Amino acid sequence: MTVHVDRAVAVATRPPVPRRRRTAVRVPPLQLLGLAMVLTVTAFALLYPLVPAYDPMTQDVLRANIPPGAEAGHWLGTDVLGRDLASRLALASRVTLGIAVLVVVATAFIGLVLGTVSGYVGGKVDTLIMGIADIQLAIPVIMVVIALAAAVGANVGLMVLVLVLTLWVNYARVARALTLSLRERDFVISPRIQGASGWWAVRKHVVPNVAVQMLVIATAELGAVILATSSFDYLGLGVQAPTPSWGSMISEGQKFFRQAPFLSLVPGATIVLVVVGVNLVSQRFTSENAPRPARRRRKERGAR
């Protein structure tokens, strides 16, 4: 009887188990600002066509070069042909952002595949793929686009193809380095010892780990790709009229900068807004700004 009472008292007086505190992930204000900038432009590009507005291709020369806010309905003004600038900016945003995302996804996928194959197979395959990568690094992209445009004509497909075939190198080099370090790890070697094929281990264990880093690079490269596509559009080597893009809108408005500076400033400000926003968001994934694991934080606090 005494034993049971002692156990009951021990259970009743047992100190409560402390609950683990959930450490909230703190996002710096600048990264929140960058995310808001990108989401604002994206939402405008996607949602503005749902609002009853003017057609981006409809011309009305009687209402040409109306400044922003001077006339109801044309809240961003009109261009030299009387086309609604807000409608054209929304269409240009979808075109430019769509091309940039397509280029980033394609280059990341190609770099992931070639870099993983190069790092896992090694030997002559590795030498061949990395040799091609070294050659492409020595070729200026803009010269290739200009030469091909002069030979076959400028078009958006040519610009996308050249960018994809050039920018995969950065992804491939990182994927190769990560694969070289992962292929000797126990979780990759163990399935092979148990009878699984090497490519099965690569697909199940190596590729998922490498893909995470590809996503980090893609986030950081998106701003550079937007600038590259806008530059080619500005030079007339990408999207062709009458389809608008950020670069072509700046080029068209530059001719009338003294009379209507907003024709170039509006798309230019949009480019700055998105590129700066993307760069601020990409800082979240860098090693010095990434959130540290809770275990590491506790060790650092204990050391202090």
Side-chain angles (χ1 to χ4, degrees):
M1 185 67 180
T2 306
V3 175
H4 292 293
V5 173
D6 293 341
R7 288 181 180 178
V9 173
V11 172
T13 58
R14 184 180 301 171
V17 178
R19 295 182 179 180
R20 294 182 179 179
R21 295 182 179 180
R22 295 183 178 180
T23 305
V25 179
R26 181 179 178 274
V27 181
L30 285 179
Q31 294 174 12
L32 290 176
L33 176 62
L35 182 61
M37 294 162 65
V38 176
L39 291 179
T40 299
V41 176
T42 304
F44 169 75
L46 297 177
L47 299 180
Y48 189 80
L50 303 179
V51 180
Y54 297 91
D55 186 271
M57 302 298 180
T58 302
Q59 302 179 10
D60 187 359
V61 293
L62 297 179
R63 289 182 170 82
N65 292 337
I66 297 177
E71 183 175 321
H74 300 292
W75 62 282
L76 280 182
T78 59
D79 64 1
V80 294
L81 297 177
R83 296 172 294 190
D84 182 58
L85 195 60
S87 300
R88 292 185 62 79
L89 182 65
L91 178 57
S93 300
R94 295 196 300 274
V95 171
T96 303
L97 291 177
I99 293 174
V101 171
L102 174 62
V103 170
V104 169
V105 171
T107 50
F109 177 76
I110 295 175
L112 171 63
V113 173
L114 294 181
T116 304
V117 171
S118 176
Y120 187 77
V121 176
K124 295 182 179 180
V125 175
D126 182 26
T127 303
L128 176 62
I129 295 177
M130 289 298 103
I132 296 174
D134 292 337
I135 294 174
Q136 288 195 354
L137 286 175
I139 300 176
V141 182
I142 188 170
M143 296 303 296
V144 175
V145 176
I146 293 175
L148 293 178
V152 301
N155 58 80
V156 63
L158 177 64
M159 178 187 68
V160 171
L161 180 63
V162 173
L163 288 175
V164 170
L165 295 179
T166 305
L167 300 179
W168 66 270
V169 176
N170 297 331
Y171 298 90
R173 286 179 170 273
V174 175
R176 174 182 177 271
L178 292 174
T179 304
L180 287 174
S181 63
L182 291 173
R183 69 179 184 179
E184 304 298 333
R185 302 288 292 272
D186 293 338
F187 62 87
V188 177
I189 299 176
S190 297
R192 298 180 58 186
I193 296 177
Q194 297 175 6
S197 64
W199 291 114
W200 183 91
V202 170
R203 188 174 67 254
K204 293 294 183 179
H205 299 291
V206 176
V207 171
N209 288 280
V210 177
V212 174
Q213 298 301 321
M214 296 296 100
L215 179 61
V216 174
I217 300 176
T219 305
E221 287 287 326
L222 181 58
V225 173
I226 291 175
L227 289 178
T229 55
S230 299
S231 300
F232 289 138
D233 293 339
Y234 176 82
L235 297 174
L237 301 175
V239 179
Q240 301 297 311
T243 303
S245 65
W246 291 340
S248 62
M249 290 181 68
I250 295 176
S251 178
E252 294 172 0
Q254 184 180 6
K255 304 173 185 177
F256 307 92
F257 189 80
R258 292 186 177 182
Q259 297 85 355
F262 61 90
L263 296 179
S264 296
L265 294 179
V266 169
T270 307
I271 294 176
V272 172
L273 197 67
V274 174
V275 172
V276 172
V278 169
N279 290 336
L280 291 177
V281 172
S282 65
Q283 293 179 3
R284 180 67 181 173
F285 305 103
T286 57
S287 59
E288 62 271 15
N289 292 308
R292 293 168 296 177
R295 183 179 300 177
R296 181 178 175 184
R297 290 195 299 266
R298 287 195 297 268
K299 288 183 179 179
E300 291 180 356
R301 291 173 183 174
R304 293 176 185 177

